[in-house]
Amino acid sequence: QVQLVESGGGSVQAGGSLRLSCAASGSFVSLNAMGWYRQAPGKQRELVATITSGGSTNYADSVKGRFAISRDNAKNTVALQMNSLKPEDTAVYYCWAALLYYIYWGKGTLVTVSS
């Protein structure tokens, strides 16, 4: 079992920055890929960014050049630095982690970007 707890959401004006963090705990030695999804009101959940245990990253086209994902394998944490935020980035952001054949999810943290 893996428990994921996000932090760092909030409200910001367009052009601002926020940093999301996610801490994983539970009965495991190491996690496979980790990352972030988001879901805006009335829209489907969207994959934002992924990072492998080796540090390889992948981003949605909509956030490339603005967001940066990182992880600390020793602390079992993953972070998402979000810069140049736009109103369309408003969403609930969910942390996820893969372990063996399972995907675990956090409860989400709300990010609101006002114009």
Side-chain angles (χ1 to χ4, degrees), residues 14-110:
S17 298
L18 282 175
R19 184 177 177 84
L20 304 183
S21 297
C22 175
S25 61
S27 302
F28 59 88
V29 175
S30 62
L31 296 166
N32 302 123
M34 301 181 75
W36 296 87
Y37 269 80
R38 69 185 180 186
Q39 188 165 20
K43 294 188 177 181
Q44 290 188 330
R45 192 171 290 193
E46 174 190 24
L47 178 61
V48 176
T50 301
I51 185 166
T52 67
S53 56
S56 296
T57 59
N58 193 35
Y59 297 93
D61 288 343
S62 59
V63 307
K64 282 181 181 177
R66 301 189 297 121
F67 290 12
I69 189 171
S70 59
R71 68 186 283 175
D72 184 329
N73 291 332
K75 296 181 179 179
N76 294 313
T77 58
V78 61
L80 186 69
Q81 178 66 43
M82 305 186 294
N83 299 324
S84 302
L85 283 161
K86 304 175 181 180
E88 51 263 44
D89 294 318
T90 294
V92 177
Y93 284 71
Y94 298 90
C95 171
W96 63 272
L99 178 64
L100 298 178
Y101 301 107
Y102 297 98
I103 302 293
Y104 297 89
W105 296 91
K107 292 184 178 181
T109 185
L110 178 63

